Amino acid sequence: MNAPQSDTGPAPKSWIAAIAPYVPGKAASDDGRPVVKLSANENPLGTSPAARAAFAEGSADLATYPDPGAAKLREAIARVHGLDPARIIYGAGSDELLHIAASAYAGPGDEVLYVRYGFSVYDIAARRVGATPVVAPDKDYGTDVDALLALVSERTRVVFLANPNNPTGTMTPRGEIARLHAALPTDVLLVIDQAYAEYLDAEDDDGALELAKTASNVLVTRTFSKIYGLAAERIGWGYAAPPIVEALHRIRAPFNITTAGQAAAAAAIADAQWVEASRTHNSRWRQWLTEQVEGMGNHGLSAVPSKANFLLVLFKGRLTAERAFQGLMQAGYATRWLPGQGLPDALRITIGTEAQMRDVARLLRDMAETV
Ligand SMILES: *Cc1c(COP(=O)(O)O)cnc(C)c1O
């Protein structure tokens, strides 16, 4: 047997080696000091007390595998949204659902389509299965349905659309979602990623869940990581036609969501009061921060109108996004600077507590006035 000249170990597939890893929001400064995390769109109010109690109860038995069918959780979701529990799929975060949707419907030679400034996981989900990511131009940081449709080819297998979108906070209205769906071939899977849907006012509903009830090619995904304050437990869910749900069940991990997480999520979605308080807090301080940023327009700052629990702030004056990012970090606030996603002039700031928002606005104004 010939020993190899140099042993570099097994080579990952070329399409895996081409993936730029996901960059999580920072929770500490570069010198290791803990900071307030306004970089991951978590709920600043925390978790519903009912969900915390259910979590504690659910973690009593650690030796037994979780319910592989997540029956109680599916019932709780179905009750709140008026859905058929048999058509609810669940994942270790909605991230798992985005990945298995790409795996089930796309592979080498296929195309996965999404809009520029879309959620960064779509690129990884496409490349992971050897498919080719195709990126459509945006319109004012939001989704341009015509630009997406112009790029649909015979090879398109999956279209990802976050609504509201992360990191821009923009919203594609119901009529545009319907127009996109109507023009897509029915053998293309349309994934509508609604990670922030619970933050919307009723009149902004994009109709995605209604569409998923009747369409043969729509998967809607939701998460417990954002308004429900359960990011640590990694629970997402989705709704689609039975053949899609069956395909996703074949490839999800067998016990993909924990016992305590299932219990906490079922309690969280039933706690309408907590959700309402979180939505009200977010709307109020998102509007306040937007007005503060617009008030710094003479310094080149502006805000992309947001429907989510964060604000994309643009820096076109002397104060750059990079400098603002570093200044806020120095002062103890981690935000998200996004040069890797083609947004070197922008910071994404999660809506935090009142005190945090007042402090961040004051810091931005000080920096803009003194730079
Ligand atoms: C946060 C986020 C998710 C995923 O969250 P999970 O924690 O994996 O459920 C999905 N899509 C978008 C657009 C997000 O911002």
Side-chain angles (χ1 to χ4, degrees):
M1 289 247 286
N2 288 331
Q5 291 276 305
S6 66
D7 182 2
T8 55
K13 292 310 219 178
S14 58
W15 54 87
I16 300 293
I19 291 174
Y22 180 81
V23 183
K26 287 186 186 255
S29 66
D30 289 341
D31 55 16
R33 281 175 301 128
V35 288
V36 174
K37 205 170 158 212
L38 301 178
S39 57
N41 303 339
E42 293 142 337
N43 187 337
L45 307 182
T47 312
S48 131
R52 296 182 70 92
F55 177 85
E57 210 173 302
S59 56
D61 176 10
L62 297 177
T64 310
Y65 276 108
D67 172 10
K72 287 194 178 130
L73 174 57
R74 285 187 295 112
E75 275 161 31
I77 295 167
R79 209 173 299 126
V80 167
H81 289 288
L83 302 173
D84 173 2
R87 291 172 57 177
I88 294 172
I89 180 81
Y90 37 88
S94 49
D95 275 358
E96 183 186 14
L97 299 176
L98 302 174
H99 283 296
I100 63 176
S103 315
Y105 293 94
D110 296 331
E111 294 175 353
V112 171
L113 177 61
Y114 51 89
V115 72
R116 173 164 58 191
Y117 313 136
F119 185 42
S120 57
V121 165
Y122 306 155
D123 180 81
I124 302 173
R127 291 178 192 274
R128 195 178 72 116
V129 297
T132 304
V134 176
V135 181
D138 65 300
K139 186 165 67 190
D140 296 334
Y141 297 94
T143 298
D144 182 340
V145 165
D146 292 312
L148 276 175
L149 287 173
L151 286 169
V152 173
S153 80
E154 276 169 18
R155 283 184 287 203
T156 308
R157 303 271 39 100
V158 178
V159 176
F160 282 117
L161 193 156
N163 210 28
N165 184 47
N166 174 14
T168 60
T170 52
M171 183 78 196
T172 308
R174 176 186 278 256
E176 286 293 280
I177 296 285
R179 195 165 72 82
L180 172 64
H181 176 252
L184 271 186
T186 53
D187 64 351
V188 174
L189 178 69
L190 173 60
V191 180
I192 306 174
D193 173 354
Q194 290 195 310
Y196 303 96
E198 295 82 5
Y199 285 106
L200 296 171
D201 296 324
E203 68 265 24
D204 286 329
D205 177 13
D206 64 4
L209 268 182
E210 288 303 312
L211 195 58
K213 286 182 186 173
T214 54
S216 64
N217 63 333
V218 173
L219 168 67
V220 168
T221 61
R222 295 276 187 114
T223 182
F224 283 94
S225 301
K226 305 287 161 59
I227 208 167
Y228 296 111
L230 286 169
E233 275 307 292
R234 316 301 307 121
I235 302 182
W237 62 276
Y239 202 71
I244 297 174
V245 172
E246 277 165 32
L248 299 183
H249 271 300
R250 288 199 183 103
I251 54 172
R252 69 171 171 80
F255 299 98
N256 58 343
I257 52 176
T258 63
T259 303
Q262 292 183 32
I269 202 167
D271 189 347
Q273 223 180 322
W274 181 265
V275 175
E276 185 55 37
S278 299
R279 184 191 302 119
T280 304
H281 170 88
N282 184 68
S283 300
R284 175 161 180 213
W285 292 100
R286 182 183 62 205
Q287 190 185 338
W288 185 86
L289 186 63
T290 304
E291 287 165 6
Q292 292 295 308
V293 168
E294 295 297 345
M296 300 175 215
N298 54 331
H299 296 296
L301 276 68
S302 61
V304 177
S306 172
K307 295 286 187 184
N309 68 338
F310 54 85
L311 192 65
L312 193 72
V313 180
L314 306 176
F315 295 78
K316 308 281 182 179
R318 284 169 51 121
L319 176 63
T320 63
E322 182 177 16
R323 186 129 179 210
F325 169 76
Q326 285 163 349
L328 289 171
M329 187 67 96
Q330 275 293 316
Y333 292 98
T335 58
R336 193 74 87 100
W337 179 43
L338 297 153
Q341 279 182 257
L343 291 164
D345 295 339
L347 279 195
R348 194 195 67 190
I349 304 175
T350 302
I351 304 305
T353 63
E354 171 178 354
Q356 291 162 1
M357 293 298 93
R358 290 190 183 280
D359 208 21
V360 162
R362 179 186 60 77
L363 290 160
L364 283 176
R365 186 176 293 280
D366 284 354
M367 285 190 279
E369 285 171 357
T370 55
V371 71

